[in-house]
Amino acid sequence: MQMKFDPKVFQLGYVALGTPNIERAKQHYLQNLGMTEVARDGDGSVYLSIGYNHHDLVLRPTAQKALLNVGFQLKPHITPSEFARDVRETGLTATIKTDSQPGVAELVEVDAPGGLAIQFYGAIEASAPGFKQTGAAPFRLGHVAIINPDGDKAIAFLTDFLGFVLTDDIAGIANFLTCNREHHVVNLVKAPELRVHHIAFELRDTACHGVASDALRAAGVNILWGPSRHTAGHNVASYHHDPDKVMIEFYTEMDTFIPELGMSEPRPWHEHFPMKPRSWGPTELNAWGADFAFNLATG
Ligand SMILES: [Fe+2]
């Protein structure tokens, strides 16, 4: 299956969360993930970097935990004004914001289906505070799983307008979409609420899962699932909760998608050749046959 693949964006840039206890949440990301505080707003919002970009995670004070927005980086040839015009032609609201957050001079905020706010920007400062050698120390933000109450329209926005492709689904509930060569950059979960399902950081290699799990446990944080290999994406993944019970994934060995062939690069652990987009069953979460459970819609 050959498919046209020319997304308007090429990577997930950041996720902004609201938290009722910013210090407690921040300490988790600083100490257990090894992130660095790069900037702070007057309202107490903090901007955290993994090591290169100005920020990969934003924490803002809110009464209850919340997914505030996600940010995607536009392809270099697309200007924010052109992008905003194209969004408006689809009937959605697009607002150009300048200096709305440190590190990003200009962005377009779109009210995407289901009430999801997505920010699109051409450039983010490379503050490069450096990578820490403590905690799990992931090297990048890879994907975000979002529960969306208007899932079909949100998926249509991602595919028909932004140019993402669907690489897999699980029971039609979890829908895996990519805008680059990773199996998924977004996992859109269809369920009647708007919130983050999990945020996924890539570790430097699979041996680091043990180090990361030990570091979490030493800090009093339990592992919820894994480390184990998934089916969709075949990433070796583990999950834990941050202090607000926002689920965080660490992963390695994610499938590499080849859009020209509409398949993932073959791997020894694949049980389907060619590994093309497919629909997995609701209990087919684990490639190793381990039976720990995971509720896709409420996780
Ligand atoms: Fe994930």
Side-chain angles (χ1 to χ4, degrees):
M1 178 175 62
Q2 208 166 10
M3 53 180 75
K4 181 177 177 291
F5 188 72
D6 185 20
K8 291 181 169 67
V9 299
F10 65 96
Q11 65 179 358
L12 174 66
Y14 53 84
V15 177
L17 300 175
T19 168
N21 189 334
I22 214 152
E23 274 306 309
R24 188 181 64 172
K26 184 181 79 173
Q27 286 310 316
H28 177 71
Y29 292 101
L30 295 185
Q31 292 171 10
N32 300 335
L33 276 77
M35 297 177 87
T36 299
E37 183 177 346
V38 173
R40 174 180 280 267
D41 279 345
D43 68 356
S45 298
V46 293
Y47 298 81
L48 305 179
S49 174
I50 291 171
Y52 180 72
N53 290 319
H54 183 275
H55 53 270
D56 304 278
L57 185 69
V58 183
L59 301 174
R60 299 192 188 283
T62 48
Q64 297 177 333
K65 71 172 179 178
L67 171 61
L68 300 179
N69 59 62
V70 296
F72 290 100
Q73 193 159 9
L74 290 165
K75 290 258 181 76
H77 65 277
I78 300 175
T79 66
S81 57
E82 285 171 348
F83 181 78
R85 181 201 62 208
D86 292 347
V87 170
R88 289 176 190 133
E89 282 177 6
T90 72
L92 295 173
T93 303
T95 310
I96 296 179
K97 296 184 172 183
T98 52
D99 296 324
S100 63
Q101 60 188 277
V104 182
E106 185 178 31
L107 60 84
V108 181
E109 185 165 294
V110 175
D111 294 325
L116 174 65
I118 309 181
Q119 298 182 340
F120 298 90
Y121 58 92
I124 184 167
E125 272 176 35
S127 306
F131 290 85
K132 296 276 178 60
Q133 302 290 338
T134 55
F139 60 31
R140 59 187 284 272
L141 171 70
H143 65 269
V144 61
I146 300 166
I147 302 178
N148 189 299
D150 204 353
D152 288 329
K153 281 190 185 160
I155 291 168
F157 175 68
L158 288 162
T159 55
D160 299 348
F161 180 73
L162 291 177
F164 281 64
V165 294
L166 189 71
T167 52
D168 270 330
D169 73 80
I170 298 176
I173 299 170
N175 300 275
F176 298 87
L177 300 135
T178 192
C179 62
N180 57 36
R181 292 205 163 229
E182 273 204 300
H183 175 272
H184 55 279
V185 178
V186 174
N187 176 355
L188 208 296
V189 180
K190 294 185 201 171
E193 56 183 322
L194 178 71
R195 65 179 175 87
V196 68
H197 185 284
H198 66 267
I199 301 168
F201 296 90
E202 187 175 10
L203 300 181
R204 60 183 76 179
D205 67 35
T206 295
C208 293
H209 276 291
V211 175
S213 296
D214 286 341
L216 288 171
R217 179 64 187 176
V221 180
N222 289 333
I223 305 300
L224 303 169
W225 193 101
S228 198
R229 188 181 299 288
H230 274 306
T231 49
H234 293 89
N235 38 321
V236 176
S238 79
Y239 297 83
H240 70 273
H241 276 146
D242 84 354
D244 292 316
K245 286 207 167 5
V246 172
M247 196 149 57
I248 302 299
E249 174 187 348
F250 293 145
Y251 75 94
T252 55
E253 300 187 20
M254 173 81 82
D255 278 347
T256 299
F257 187 66
I258 312 171
E260 293 82 356
L261 298 176
M263 61 179 274
S264 290
E265 282 185 6
R267 291 288 183 269
W269 41 83
H270 287 171
E271 295 182 355
H272 304 271
F273 295 103
M275 191 60 253
K276 288 176 176 277
R278 70 190 307 277
S279 196
W280 302 85
T283 59
E284 285 187 292
L285 285 174
N286 195 300
W288 292 341
D291 64 356
F292 14 76
F294 204 74
N295 189 321
L296 289 171
T298 62

